[in-house]
Amino acid sequence: MEQEKKKKSIGFNIIKSDPTDGHGGFGVGALSLDNVSPVFIDIEEGEAFVDIGAMHARSVVEKGIKFLKTKEEVPNGKPYWLVWVTIDRKEDGPYYAGVAACELTVDRSIRRGYKSLPEHVNRMDKSMKRHIIVDHMDNRSKEILTNFLKHHDKKMWEHSEQKLKDDLKV
């Protein structure tokens, strides 16, 4: 009997307790990377997955690739979205507080890719600051991301801001 394809673990970073534990010293009010998860959307495969390696540009998608400054230098690049997802908590529970997408392409055959490093850093920062930046994504990718977020935790999706749901609507 053939085994079913092994289900990928989702692996979101879970909210940790306040590192300052209320003592009001160093780090109070600072944004923490603990609540941010990098979600890749493989548009061609129609799937989304978390790869924490992206925090240091060492994800499976990025490893072994030299990134160039323009898309035109990588004409056959496979398209991806890297979506920075920040989870926060409000009275009714955790929710997707910041969701910001940036594009990248990778051509494994020539070990080259395209991404704008400043954009990737900026979008991670925007996500951590609870911004929603997804309306520039293509419709297929919006559907993949919506399904991924709902499947990961339906309650977190329900608790999320209406803007996220509206901007991901196809």
Side-chain angles (χ1 to χ4, degrees):
M1 187 186 248
E2 201 175 301
Q3 279 191 318
E4 281 187 61
K5 199 174 172 185
K6 233 174 93 176
K7 192 176 169 189
K8 287 186 179 143
S9 73
I10 294 197
F12 267 109
N13 281 337
I14 301 303
I15 296 172
K16 295 185 172 143
S17 59
D18 182 5
T20 61
D21 280 312
H23 66 65
F26 175 78
V28 171
L31 291 171
S32 168
L33 289 176
D34 289 341
N35 305 338
V36 180
S37 294
V39 177
F40 280 94
I41 295 178
D42 182 330
I43 302 166
E44 290 174 5
E45 297 295 322
E47 65 177 15
F49 56 92
V50 173
D51 188 335
I52 299 301
M55 300 296 277
H56 304 286
R58 288 190 174 84
S59 65
V60 170
V61 173
E62 298 163 296
K63 249 184 199 155
I65 300 296
K66 177 181 171 142
F67 285 96
L68 307 174
K69 292 188 185 330
T70 67
K71 237 194 255 193
E72 293 70 38
E73 293 175 271
V74 192
N76 301 316
K78 181 177 175 177
Y80 292 90
W81 288 98
L82 172 52
V83 185
W84 298 102
V85 179
T86 301
I87 296 170
D88 202 350
R89 181 176 294 278
K90 50 185 171 182
E91 268 185 45
D92 31 353
Y95 71 107
Y96 302 116
V99 183
C102 33
E103 64 177 326
L104 68 152
T105 63
V106 171
D107 185 341
R108 287 250 162 247
S109 68
I110 59 169
R111 298 175 57 123
R112 296 291 180 267
Y114 160 77
K115 74 175 177 181
S116 165
L117 188 58
E119 180 193 39
H120 283 239
V121 171
N122 184 309
R123 293 287 160 87
M124 181 173 75
D125 182 61
K126 293 283 191 202
S127 174
M128 290 167 54
K129 291 177 177 167
R130 314 308 188 246
H131 292 269
I132 306 293
I133 306 172
V134 293
D135 53 343
H136 62 298
M137 295 172 72
D138 59 280
N139 286 344
R140 177 168 163 79
S141 298
K142 285 180 180 182
E143 286 174 352
I144 295 166
L145 181 59
T146 299
N147 291 336
F148 179 81
L149 294 174
K150 282 180 180 176
H151 177 76
H152 172 256
D153 191 316
K154 194 156 179 56
K155 287 267 188 249
M156 284 189 359
W157 173 259
E158 289 166 4
H159 294 155
S160 295
E161 301 298 322
Q162 191 58 45
K163 178 175 175 40
L164 176 64
K165 297 166 192 168
D166 292 346
D167 288 358
L168 285 175
K169 199 165 274 165
V170 175

